[in-house]
Amino acid sequence: MGALKPAIGWLLGGIGALALGLLATQMPPARVGDLAPVMLCVGAGLLVAGLVRWRFPALCEVAPAGVRRRYHREMFLAMGAYVVAVLVTVSVLRAGGPDGTLRVLVALLPVPPIAFVLRAVVRYIRGVDEMQQRIELEAVSLATALVALLYMSGGFLQAAKIIDLPAAAVMTWVFPLLCFAYGVVKFLVVRRYR
């Protein structure tokens, strides 16, 4: 139970977000916009984070307690703001939304929260020891290389008319894919250094 205790909040948040996402799939699309896929992705991410926190606590305990608390606080606030911003942006733009400069501002509403996510990550990396910084750098570098390779391969397949994906969807999913790849690669990098 001791190892499960720090993960309970993550797991419950994941279950709650998945439940909201599943509930949203039953509502008319015009009413909820993109709530269902956003909540399902958030829920899956929180569940994975909770499972990692529970089953591999050593991966999560590498920073001093103060650095971890600050990181979690900043990350939860930024990601919460991001989810709200995405929902507002999609809802406003689907309804026709404003024109001109105001439309640009509405479309870019999710960007500042992501900037705060990146700020939290940088502050976290600066707060850990040199070995952990090396692990983080390696994980970020490899994840970025993998996503760039995937994105470039998709571009070549798109140019050859083998696949046809909407550019807006592909561009929007680059950052979440990078975060996912980073999580997987970091897990592998940490195991290599043990």
Side-chain angles (χ1 to χ4, degrees):
M1 181 66 179
L4 180 60
K5 189 175 181 183
I8 288 177
W10 295 85
L11 294 170
L12 291 176
I15 291 168
L18 284 173
L20 273 174
L22 290 172
L23 181 65
T25 61
Q26 305 305 313
M27 300 174 87
R31 187 146 184 239
V32 294
D34 286 340
L35 178 65
V38 169
M39 293 312 294
L40 290 171
C41 288
V42 167
L46 288 173
L47 272 180
V48 168
L51 290 172
V52 167
R53 182 101 171 105
W54 174 31
R55 302 307 300 166
F56 305 101
L59 289 175
C60 305
E61 304 294 332
V62 294
V67 172
R68 275 197 323 266
R69 278 193 302 274
R70 181 187 68 203
Y71 173 74
H72 289 145
R73 182 179 57 249
E74 290 175 353
M75 189 62 76
F76 279 128
L77 288 172
M79 289 308 291
Y82 172 74
V83 169
V84 169
V86 166
L87 293 174
V88 167
T89 297
V90 168
S91 298
V92 169
L93 294 178
R94 271 207 178 142
D99 289 327
T101 305
L102 193 53
R103 186 170 185 85
V104 171
L105 293 175
V106 170
L108 295 177
L109 195 59
V111 174
I114 292 301
F116 282 107
V117 166
L118 296 174
R119 177 180 177 258
V121 169
V122 168
R123 286 170 50 115
Y124 172 81
I125 291 172
R126 288 181 177 164
V128 297
D129 64 28
E130 288 84 8
M131 183 61 181
Q132 189 60 36
Q133 287 178 351
R134 180 180 179 154
I135 290 169
E136 297 294 341
L137 176 63
E138 204 170 312
V140 168
S141 300
L142 290 171
T144 303
L146 288 172
V147 171
L149 183 65
L150 178 68
Y151 197 77
M152 190 175 69
S153 300
F156 288 134
L157 291 172
Q158 184 102 1
K161 300 195 184 321
I162 295 171
I163 61 172
D164 187 26
L165 300 172
V170 173
M171 286 187 216
T172 302
W173 280 98
V174 168
F175 185 71
L177 182 59
L178 183 59
C179 293
F180 175 76
Y182 160 76
V184 172
V185 170
K186 182 178 174 184
F187 177 77
L188 298 173
V189 169
V190 167
R191 291 187 63 190
R192 196 181 100 210
Y193 281 104
R194 291 192 175 208

